[in-house]
Every structure is written in structure tokens, then in C-alpha cells.
Amino acid sequence: MKKFLIADDHSIVRTGLKFLIREEFMDAEIDECQDGNSAWKKIQTGEYDLTILDISMPATDFLHLLKNVFDLKPDLKILIVTMSSERIYAKKYLNLSPSVKGFINKEAAPSEIRRAIVSILNNKKYLSPRLLDIQIQEILKGKEKNPFDALSIRELEIMNHLVSGKDIPEIAGILSVDSSIIRIHKANIMHKLGVSNVIELCEMVQRF
């Protein structure tokens, strides 16, 4: 019997993922939670064949969560399912650790999400058709370098909070750092991407 953990702050997403899992594994045992702290507690005490995580859960330092998971259970398989852009975020997260086996957008077809789950459980890394196409086009056609590749993974995480409407004190609270640290990261993000404010940043993210 396969055992899964789904960590996402939207109940409708968790319900949909449970349905997809049970289409493939009728007797699956599925735990669920809606924030990073709850996910970490379950991972500490449970044994899962696959953990499905959203990188945008509220009040969650996602990189800190992943680091703790990698240190405690380096063999745990992780699939990231999120609304965040695959083109912007997937490469950095997939390269973060061998534990991260896939990165897929929530808008993907149910059949694609099922395929990702099955592939990862068969010890394969999953790249979505969209992500594969982007990589092929960049190689074959010499497509212009993705500007977001210049950002560190921490900068990507902070950028994700900024474009979701969070202010500097709120982000600092989530990441448990001083607001001055977030201001420095924000300035670096703006400089690297050549934008002047959060509105321009949001517009740039939407284009990708």
C-alpha cells in the first residue's frame, strides 16, 4: 500500500489530488495538511512514498522546510505542484536536491499530474511537456537566456512572496529574518531583472 502526504493550503486542490491518486492506487493511505509547519510534523513522524508540496503555502519558509526534509529524510520523494511558473521556478527547485523529483503547474491536465505521480513512484524524475519544450527550444534555437536564472533560489522565493502581494515586514516574518535583509534581497532582485518596482516585477513574471 502506497502512502502519500499532500501539503497545500487549498482544500479543493487537496481533494483533487486525492482523487487522482486513488484513481491509480485505490488503497492508498493519504495524509494532508495546509501549511509548512504541519507538513514538517507529519514528515518527522510518518513514512511516505511520495510527498506533494506547494511552494506558496501561507506562513511557510519553503526553503527551510525543504532543507529540514533533505537532512532528515534524504530519500523522500517530493513532487512540487504549484501555481508558480514552471519556466521561472522549476529549474532551481529541481536542481536543489535529488529528492525533488518533479515540478508541475496546478493548471496541468489531470492525466499529466497522474503521469507525474506514477513516474516518480517508479524512481524517475518528471519534467512536464511544457518544461521539456522550453528546454529544447533554448538549446536548439539559442533562445534568449531566461532572466530569472540570474536569481538565487532564496531570491526566487522572496520574489514569489512579493508578486503575491506581501510586503517586506510580512515576508521577514515568514522567513524569520530582519526586514533589512528582505530589503537587500528585494533591491538585488530588482537590479538583476532590470525593473524599478513591484508592479513592473509582476508584469515581467506574468510574461513568463
Side-chain angles (χ1 to χ4, degrees), residues 7-10 14 33-38 54-62 65 106 160-161 164 166 170 173-175:
D8 192 288
D9 57 309
H10 294 101
R14 298 196 304 272
C33 55
Q34 59 184 2
D35 60 67
N37 288 334
S38 299
D54 179 14
I55 65 173
S56 301
M57 290 182 288
T60 299
D61 182 343
F62 191 71
L65 170 63
K106 289 178 182 177
N160 195 37
H161 287 305
S164 70
K166 296 181 179 68
E170 189 175 1
I174 292 170
L175 302 185

Side-chain angles (χ1 to χ4, degrees), residues 61-192:
D61 182 343
F62 191 71
L63 289 181
H64 184 67
L65 170 63
L66 286 181
K67 182 182 183 303
N68 286 338
V69 172
F70 300 155
D71 289 343
L72 181 68
K73 296 187 176 179
D75 295 326
L76 180 65
K77 297 181 178 70
I78 295 171
L79 170 62
I80 295 174
V81 179
T82 180
M83 285 302 296
S84 300
S85 166
E86 290 171 277
R87 187 176 179 192
I88 294 174
Y89 296 94
K91 185 186 299 183
K92 288 283 172 63
Y93 279 100
L94 287 169
N95 290 334
L96 191 60
S97 166
S99 293
V100 182
K101 300 294 186 182
F103 188 110
I104 193 168
N105 194 279
K106 289 178 182 177
E107 294 182 345
S111 59
E112 185 181 338
I113 297 175
R114 280 199 304 270
R115 189 159 54 247
I117 291 169
V118 172
S119 295
I120 292 170
L121 288 173
N122 287 325
N123 296 313
K124 298 176 182 177
K125 203 146 190 170
Y126 183 81
L127 297 179
S128 70
R130 170 177 164 75
L131 192 56
L132 283 171
D133 182 63
I134 289 169
Q135 292 183 347
I136 290 170
Q137 293 301 317
E138 288 178 349
I139 293 170
L140 296 182
K141 296 185 177 180
K143 194 171 182 179
E144 184 179 351
K145 183 176 176 62
N146 183 341
F148 296 97
D149 287 347
L151 302 183
S152 70
I153 194 162
R154 177 59 89 184
E155 288 169 343
L156 282 174
E157 183 181 35
I158 291 170
M159 183 186 77
N160 195 37
H161 287 305
L162 288 169
V163 299
S164 70
K166 296 181 179 68
D167 60 21
I168 286 176
E170 189 175 1
I171 299 170
I174 292 170
L175 302 185
S176 300
V177 298
D178 191 83
S179 292
S180 62
I181 300 297
I182 303 301
R183 289 191 187 94
I184 292 170
H185 279 301
K186 180 182 177 182
N188 288 338
I189 291 166
M190 300 292 184
H191 175 71
K192 289 180 179 180

